[in-house]
Amino acid sequence: MTDQLGPDFDARLRAELDRLEGPTPLPSDARYSQPRTGYRRFGGMTPALVVAGAVAVLLVAASAVLGSPDPAVWVTTIENVTRVGPAGPSPSPVTSPNRQVNPTPRAEPSEAVEPSHESPEPSGGETHSQPVEPPEASATPSPEPAETPSPGSDGEHSGSESPAPSPSPSPSDS
Amino acid sequence: MRGKAESERPAYEPGSRDDFDRLYRDSYLKIYRTLVAVLGDPAAAEDCAQDAFVLAFRAWSRWRPDAPAEAWLHRIAINTAVSYQRKANLRTIGVILRRLGRPGAGPDPAEVALDRDLSAALRTLPPKLRAALVLRHYHGYNNREIAAAIGVSERTVNKRLRIAGERMRILLGQDQKPLPT
């Protein structure tokens, strides 16, 4: 098949290509001996480049989300966010500013209780007349006399502590 | 016998820098000539040959001695040349569009060749057919060696050689020059 081309073709092709006698470059001058150029030079630093790129993306994303490029602001924002979570119910004390001393979130129950043992505060006693609340309330208002009813925590367990608040109600009754 | 055969075949150790330098010195000119025949442009052939040796050098540690190193190099070089030719075709389209209304480009590589008819005929063939033709008629490879060098089956090699031979016979048949002796 290909022999149809005959020996003449082989000879012509050989004559044409053999005249290309360009000097073979020395191995030291060959391209494979040359140092890599361009981006290939960074081929060995690929992991470091990936990490740097990821950090850069995180910084940009954090700046965009938190609205500031300052890491100190990020820390403050994160602290505020984490602080807001557990302190969520705390705003209730704000609603009753007259009880600044009482930081406990159970403001409403305390209102019901306070009239029971602290007559001077009329608001709670007048509005709420639930007799069941006082025992529980006796425990919650403990922060007001903060030091004395230290067993306030115990009062939560049972009504056994009910006698403790009893002394205080006596003046209120009177 | 065996010792003679082994002495005829240069032993290369994969990954050895010295052996690769020796392979480069021994085979650069053959690769270059093959690429000149495939690309028809000595400058492009030199560029592709250098690129091919760069690729071969990177893969040198993975070369398997079960195949001749020169055939392995030819495979890399021909693939490089085919890729180069594709990109060149795309560039040519862009150049033609940019050159509309301007003076023509430089001389055709075929006109630089001594045997213009042969060179022009070769340029009408696709690069893969040119490669098969050169490996057979210039380097003297058989079908199996060509298959190993190009990375196709022997059947494909046979088909390519048949098509290339028929075309060349038609193109050169009426203009067979007497060979210079």
Side-chain angles (χ1 to χ4, degrees):
Chain A
M1 289 179 288
T2 56
D3 291 340
Q4 292 175 353
L5 291 170
D8 289 349
F9 178 80
D10 293 5
R12 289 176 68 178
L13 185 62
R14 185 171 297 111
E16 182 66 23
L17 293 180
D18 281 348
R19 73 183 184 86
L20 299 169
E21 282 292 345
T24 301
L26 295 172
S28 58
D29 296 333
R31 197 172 292 170
Y32 70 85
S33 297
Q34 305 302 319
R36 295 182 179 182
T37 58
Y39 68 93
R40 291 174 180 171
R41 193 185 315 165
F42 300 101
M45 300 172 61
T46 301
L49 291 176
V50 169
V51 171
V55 170
V57 168
L58 282 176
L59 291 177
V60 171
S63 300
V65 171
L66 300 177
S68 172
D70 186 5
V73 175
W74 304 349
V75 173
T76 305
T77 306
I78 293 173
E79 287 178 355
N80 289 339
V81 169
T82 54
R83 202 174 289 167
V84 164
S90 64
S92 59
V94 178
T95 57
S96 58
N98 55 352
R99 295 189 188 87
Q100 295 176 354
V101 184
N102 186 5
T104 56
R106 292 82 177 175
E108 294 180 355
S110 65
E111 288 177 354
V113 173
E114 284 168 3
S116 62
H117 72 283
E118 290 183 358
S119 59
E121 294 183 1
S123 61
E126 293 175 359
T127 55
H128 302 283
S129 61
Q130 296 176 354
V132 184
E133 296 297 331
E136 294 179 359
S138 62
T140 51
S142 60
E144 281 189 358
E147 302 82 6
T148 53
S150 58
S153 59
D154 296 335
E156 294 179 357
H157 294 292
S158 65
S160 62
E161 295 295 331
S162 59
S166 61
S168 59
S170 59
S172 64
D173 293 338
S174 61
Chain B
M1 292 293 288
R2 184 179 178 185
K4 184 181 178 182
E6 287 186 350
S7 66
E8 288 177 351
R9 173 191 284 185
Y12 298 110
E13 182 184 349
S16 167
R17 174 60 188 260
D18 291 339
D19 283 356
F20 190 83
D21 288 346
R22 184 159 54 92
L23 175 65
Y24 173 82
R25 284 192 297 267
D26 292 345
S27 56
Y28 175 84
L29 200 54
K30 296 175 185 174
I31 298 292
Y32 168 68
R33 287 171 174 167
T34 299
L35 294 182
V36 169
V38 170
L39 294 171
D41 182 356
E46 188 174 355
D47 193 32
C48 282
Q50 289 293 334
D51 279 347
F53 275 100
V54 169
L55 295 175
F57 182 66
R58 290 180 191 163
W60 181 231
S61 60
R62 299 190 299 273
W63 171 67
R64 302 289 180 136
D66 53 357
E70 192 178 299
W72 175 70
L73 275 177
H74 262 112
R75 181 174 184 170
I76 295 173
I78 290 169
N79 286 336
T80 304
V82 169
S83 299
Y84 177 89
Q85 191 72 49
R86 286 179 186 151
K87 293 176 185 175
N89 291 338
L90 294 176
R91 282 196 301 268
T92 302
I93 295 172
V95 169
I96 290 173
L97 293 176
R98 285 195 297 273
R99 282 187 177 277
L100 287 175
R102 297 182 185 178
D108 191 306
E111 296 183 1
V112 179
L114 289 178
D115 195 339
R116 295 181 182 177
D117 297 327
L118 177 64
S119 181
L122 278 175
R123 293 188 68 218
T124 63
L125 298 178
K128 292 179 180 177
L129 297 189
R130 287 185 229 172
L133 210 58
V134 170
L135 291 176
R136 163 60 67 84
H137 292 277
Y138 180 72
H139 292 293
Y141 284 18
N142 59 31
N143 283 15
R144 180 174 299 176
E145 290 168 336
I146 296 173
I150 300 180
V152 296
S153 66
E154 291 186 48
R155 188 178 178 181
T156 302
V157 170
N158 200 19
K159 183 180 176 182
R160 288 183 183 179
L161 285 173
R162 180 174 51 80
I163 295 173
E166 289 174 357
R167 290 195 190 178
M168 293 300 289
R169 186 167 50 84
I170 292 172
L171 290 169
L172 299 174
Q174 296 153 357
D175 191 21
Q176 290 284 352
K177 293 180 180 177
L179 293 171
T181 56

